[in-house]
Amino acid sequence: MDGRDLVRSMKTVGSAGMVQGLRTVRAAWRRRRVDAAGLPPRGAERARVPGPMREVEPGPGGGVVRFGRSELRVLVAVNGAVFWGWDGAGPEPSYALAGRCPEPDPRAVLEPDKDGGWRVVAERVTVAVSRHGAVEVRTPGGVVLRRELPPRWWEPVDGGPARWTQRSEVAADARFFGLGGRSAGPRLHDGTYRLWNTGPGLPFTAAEDASSVTMPVQLVVADAGTHLVFHDSAWDGTVELREGAEGAGSGHDRPGRSVLRMAGGPLRCWVTVGTPARVLLTWASLTGAPALPPAWALGHQHAQGGFGDEEDLRRVVTGHQERDLPLDAVHLGIGHGAARQVFTVDEERFPKLPVFAEELRREGVRLVSAVEPAVAAAPGYAVYDEGTRADVFVRDATGAVVRGVGRPGDVVFPDFTHAGARAWWGGLHEERLGRGFAGVWHDLDAPTSFAAFGEPTLPLSARHALEGRGGDHREAHNVYALCMARAGYEGLRALTPDERPFVLSRSGWAGLQRYGGAWSGDVATGWPGLRASLARVLGLGLCGVPYTGPEVGGADGEVSPELYLRWFQLAAYLPLFRTSGGSRTGRREPWEFGDEVLEHARVALVERRRLLPYFVTLAHLARRTGAPYVRPVWWQAPEDRALRDCEDAFLLGDCLLVAPVLGAGADRRAVRLPRGRWYDVVTERAYEGPAQVLVDASWARIPVFARAGAVLAVRGRDGAPELEVWAPAPGRTGGGLVVPDAGDGWVEPEIERYVCRWEGHRVVVEREGEDGVSEPSCPVRVRGLAERAAQM
């Protein structure tokens, strides 16, 4: 933390936070002194490359290739994923994997390749290793999707973890996506991206690389195919990306390039190849199925600052009810606890919270509690005393418990990389449930100092269990929030076994989806922040975390009525739909922006409520297939280069295309449509794709299109389930999947498959099953018929 950071801290926290800011600065200096003593000096380093190939040892699914100064293990798993690890690195242990490494594919074996290399041929991919250590990923037809050049290590002469660099090449036409939730996405343009989870500070904009959820996961889309590559190291690092360029003739293409530089950790990698759907399915089979959110978590949620009281909470709920604004949950932010302590409630401000929570639950509104990892270091505080006795707090290299600065003042942190600490922390959620809370929202979980703009609260030399392996914060930082999410999820599941847990995290790492979702963190208020919030949702979905969403209006600052409405309209079509009760600059409920904004916001909320059965279906399909709810428009046509460059629209499942307004003053906007027929859901006018069309985008709406032939579940006018069917194009058929809502338990409802077709002058809808076709299980409403009538 330098002088500029201090000035920014003072501007943010104000004079009231001056003392806390100075304590943060002192803590930063103390961390540096601790690290100077606890981290070994880097000293002189020795560079190393694999060297020439020496011998090959075939084995199940691949084998081991030995070089002069390293060895490479290659494995093709039964699910089609490819693993390779250098210097003896294996797939386990790994925080990313959901369980054990998949079994090797017995059909895949090492065999000689050209120029003295070796290869492993599998059903969907070929992996070739050159005699100098380059690794190529090829399609079954032999087209190279990715070429990993021989890696290079820099090892301290006196011992210690080696830093390493991996340079890669992809096709000239390839586009990069992923790396977690990036404000600069969803397509990652030329630049350098840091792989280090950043905590709260100055709100992120599209021009900044800072991210609260980073992952070394690249999803690369090219004409030849799509692949996902995951370099499984949680250490600090950077990824430098450079898109390629196609030349005028054969042999003149400039390939795209990726340069990954990691400060430590194993050099190991997973690759999956196929269509985008196949790639995400395989990725989910490795890192775990996404947690299924409770049905209420797919509705409208509202984040209320934690420094109000019970009357403020009642005012917010009543304000929504009186204005016919659907509301499903209210989140109480950090600060609703006594003396800002975790797992407590300020009894003076919330004297009857359990009673009020039960009243809200009967009205269909749940309460969610913000929880941070920082525990006030105050003897006599039950959580601190219990944690001290259980020895669960992070210690430094000398064995002393590490103290940092947080909202409660001096704080300590549980070591969530220890199974015992996770079990202890999970049990503390009994207090939250007893207060009437239905879920938890993890904030400040990187962990970082709340006033120091991403400055780590824990010194890099702090010691962590790392599941018994032992290590320091350089390796644990990026997975700390992931392990906290695991603790919360497992604790809630044990305490309420009949209900699906609700865990929402600010930070995380690969595999976060197993335990819940992520919110976008501190996205800047402003039009660039609106665009950045969409980019983050798309990026996280392509990294396997499908349940995400922004804070409507951004983190702080003045928000105009137009910007608020456009943000609200976008969020109504995202998995996590969460508005905010306000910031230091004023309140942000919809009615605070005037009658016109209120009316249009009500329309968006009613439409979200109508689409809830469709969101339930998308949630179940995400759990079973890994496919995100929100998908890039190229999802089903990655070979369409124009769609690969489209960053201002998205698909919601297979049925809908949403084109939000991301700039000021727009009353119309251009929308690029994929191939096929698409209906404007308001006018029901049909458009033929691929094409770019200009449509109405007044304050009353953002453009939304339905795919011809789509069958989706919605709520009818009476609130009962209904099938909405969009007429297929002439001579075509359509269909869709519906997963009925079975409540918030663990029942796995049957997937209903529907097909639709023209039969004379009417559209027939049938349900397909093992016993043949049958009538739909709920009423059917066919839309898009006006276009057909006009043609007759």
Side-chain angles (χ1 to χ4, degrees):
M1 184 177 191
D2 57 22
R4 288 173 298 177
D5 291 330
L6 175 59
V7 172
R8 295 160 73 195
S9 298
M10 297 303 101
K11 288 182 178 179
T12 298
V13 302
S15 58
M18 182 71 72
V19 174
Q20 186 79 339
L22 292 175
R23 294 173 68 187
T24 301
V25 173
R26 288 198 297 269
W29 289 336
R30 187 166 60 246
R31 284 193 301 274
R32 278 160 173 70
R33 289 198 301 269
V34 169
D35 283 343
L39 291 176
R42 192 78 200 177
E45 293 180 320
R46 179 173 44 240
R48 174 168 60 89
V49 295
M53 184 181 295
R54 298 299 189 193
E55 61 179 350
V56 173
E57 180 182 329
V64 176
V65 183
R66 294 186 175 88
F67 297 84
R69 290 177 290 277
S70 186
E71 69 176 34
L72 174 69
R73 178 185 177 189
V74 181
L75 167 72
V76 177
V78 290
N79 63 357
V82 177
F83 170 85
W84 64 76
W86 287 94
D87 283 359
E92 303 171 31
S94 170
Y95 279 106
L97 297 187
R100 300 302 303 272
C101 173
E103 293 295 319
D105 185 347
R107 300 168 297 176
V109 295
L110 270 173
E111 61 184 37
D113 194 22
K114 60 185 179 179
D115 299 327
W118 288 75
R119 67 183 181 183
V120 182
V121 179
E123 181 180 0
R124 291 190 293 270
V125 65
T126 296
V127 183
V129 182
S130 79
R131 56 194 178 93
H132 292 291
V135 181
E136 287 187 351
V137 179
R138 305 171 183 165
T139 67
V143 178
V144 177
L145 294 176
R146 188 179 193 92
R147 186 169 189 263
E148 304 262 293
L149 301 177
R152 176 168 292 187
W153 295 265
W154 285 266
E155 301 169 329
V157 172
D158 296 329
R163 59 189 179 94
W164 50 267
T165 295
Q166 178 66 72
R167 301 177 184 273
S168 310
E169 295 179 347
V170 296
D173 65 283
R175 297 290 181 262
F176 296 100
F177 300 86
L179 297 184
R182 296 287 171 174
S183 299
R187 173 185 165 193
L188 300 175
H189 297 264
D190 293 359
T192 301
Y193 302 85
R194 190 180 181 191
L195 298 171
W196 186 257
N197 288 349
T198 305
L202 288 183
F204 308 139
T205 66
E208 294 175 300
D209 173 50
S211 176
S212 55
V213 185
T214 65
M215 303 181 198
V217 178
Q218 296 177 31
L219 190 131
V220 183
V221 183
D223 288 354
T226 300
H227 73 273
L228 179 149
V229 59
F230 168 55
H231 289 91
D232 191 356
S233 171
W235 286 64
D236 191 5
T238 61
V239 181
E240 181 183 342
L241 300 178
R242 292 289 182 271
E243 291 183 348
E246 294 181 287
S250 175
H252 293 277
D253 289 352
R254 175 171 59 82
R257 290 183 171 86
S258 165
V259 181
L260 175 63
R261 297 181 174 91
M262 300 298 290
L267 203 176
R268 55 185 180 179
C269 180
W270 284 96
V271 173
T272 68
V273 175
T275 64
R278 169 66 69 178
V279 164
L280 267 294
L281 175 63
T282 307
W283 178 239
S285 73
L286 286 172
T287 60
L292 192 64
W296 57 262
L298 296 171
H300 172 217
Q301 304 176 59
H302 186 77
Q304 184 71 5
F307 298 100
D309 56 22
E310 205 164 294
E311 288 304 312
D312 291 326
L313 179 58
R314 191 178 297 275
R315 178 190 61 80
V316 168
V317 175
T318 302
H320 282 82
Q321 293 171 339
E322 290 177 345
R323 295 169 176 85
D324 296 323
L325 301 175
L327 181 65
D328 296 276
V330 177
H331 297 215
L332 290 184
I334 290 175
H336 66 276
R340 300 180 180 178
Q341 293 175 348
V342 68
F343 295 115
T344 63
V345 168
D346 190 326
E347 299 286 355
E348 293 185 4
R349 291 185 292 133
F350 300 94
K352 300 179 180 179
L353 188 60
V355 176
F356 186 38
E358 182 57 33
E359 293 177 9
L360 292 179
R361 186 181 286 261
R362 288 197 295 268
E363 296 174 2
V365 180
R366 267 71 169 185
L367 285 184
V368 174
S369 170
V371 175
E372 62 175 318
V375 175
Y381 170 38
V383 175
Y384 174 73
D385 292 343
E386 291 175 10
T388 300
R389 288 192 295 270
D391 191 19
V392 299
F393 298 127
V394 176
R395 295 179 177 272
D396 63 21
T398 68
V401 173
V402 175
R403 292 203 175 197
V405 175
R407 291 177 184 266
D410 288 336
V411 295
V412 292
F413 294 88
D415 182 5
F416 293 117
T417 70
H418 190 288
R422 290 196 296 268
W424 169 77
W425 185 266
L428 295 177
H429 288 74
E430 185 174 7
E431 185 276 340
R432 296 289 83 182
L433 297 174
R435 296 285 184 175
F437 291 107
V440 292
W441 152 33
H442 290 171
D443 201 357
L444 305 178
D445 52 353
T448 54
S449 172
F450 83 99
F453 300 95
E455 184 75 11
T457 294
L458 291 170
L460 296 178
S461 60
R463 304 300 298 173
H464 292 266
L466 291 170
E467 317 310 322
R469 293 181 290 109
D472 57 42
H473 197 64
R474 293 175 296 174
E475 182 176 359
H477 175 82
N478 279 341
V479 299
Y480 187 89
L482 171 72
C483 295
M484 181 181 177
R486 178 180 178 180
Y489 178 87
E490 292 177 347
L492 289 173
R493 182 161 186 179
L495 292 166
T496 55
D498 296 330
E499 297 182 10
R500 300 197 292 266
F502 177 82
V503 177
L504 189 67
S505 300
R506 175 196 285 266
S507 299
W509 201 63
L512 177 65
Q513 74 278 358
R514 299 192 295 265
Y515 313 118
W519 63 293
S520 60
D522 296 331
V523 174
T525 296
W527 293 100
L530 171 59
R531 183 177 289 271
S533 66
L534 173 58
R536 289 185 165 216
V537 172
L538 283 163
L540 284 170
L542 293 176
C543 290
V545 185
Y547 183 72
T548 61
E551 197 105 308
V552 171
D556 209 350
E558 294 288 347
V559 55
S560 68
E562 180 187 13
L563 174 59
Y564 180 85
L565 177 61
R566 294 308 195 187
W567 215 313
F568 195 99
Q569 290 170 329
L570 164 63
Y573 291 95
L574 299 179
L576 171 64
F577 180 17
R578 191 170 87 158
T579 52
S580 173
S583 67
R584 287 183 289 273
T585 56
R587 301 222 54 85
R588 283 188 178 173
E589 285 83 15
W591 53 86
E592 301 291 344
F593 294 90
D595 292 342
E596 185 178 8
V597 170
L598 175 61
E599 181 56 34
H600 297 323
R602 182 184 295 111
V603 171
L605 275 173
V606 169
E607 179 63 7
R608 173 62 173 236
R609 181 57 57 94
R610 191 182 77 88
L611 289 174
L612 274 180
Y614 184 51
F615 275 93
V616 169
T617 293
L618 295 179
H620 279 277
L621 294 180
R623 179 168 179 79
R624 301 187 191 199
T625 69
Y629 312 28
V630 169
R631 309 164 186 177
V633 292
W634 48 258
W635 178 260
Q636 293 181 327
E639 71 282 354
D640 188 327
R641 296 190 180 187
L643 294 181
R644 292 209 295 259
D645 296 338
C646 178
E647 302 181 90
D648 61 355
F650 60 91
L651 297 175
L652 182 59
D654 288 333
C655 298
L656 300 178
L657 186 151
V658 182
V661 174
L662 303 177
D667 57 7
R668 295 174 70 79
R669 69 149 289 178
V671 181
R672 184 167 295 280
L673 299 175
R675 184 177 302 278
R677 171 170 289 191
W678 296 85
Y679 295 97
D680 185 315
V681 298
V682 172
T683 65
E684 300 194 18
R685 177 182 172 182
Y687 297 88
E688 297 295 334
Q692 181 167 285
V693 299
L694 189 65
V695 295
D696 173 56
S698 63
W699 275 36
R701 58 170 296 203
I702 58 173
V704 179
F705 297 84
R707 189 189 303 273
V711 178
L712 61 155
V714 299
R715 294 180 63 171
R717 294 183 177 89
D718 59 355
E722 178 181 278
L723 288 184
E724 182 170 278
V725 179
W726 289 89
R732 300 277 185 171
T733 60
L737 303 177
V738 173
V739 182
D741 185 4
D744 290 338
W746 298 97
V747 175
E748 291 282 355
E750 180 185 355
I751 296 179
E752 299 177 358
R753 302 175 183 274
Y754 291 94
V755 295
C756 63
R757 67 180 188 278
W758 283 102
E759 193 171 276
H761 298 307
R762 69 188 187 97
V763 174
V764 175
V765 182
E766 296 175 324
R767 178 179 175 182
E768 288 187 333
E770 295 181 357
D771 300 327
V773 298
S774 60
E775 292 294 320
S777 59
C778 57
V780 174
R781 179 173 171 235
V782 180
R783 302 185 64 184
L785 295 176
E787 191 78 16
R788 174 80 170 186
Q791 295 173 355
M792 296 176 59

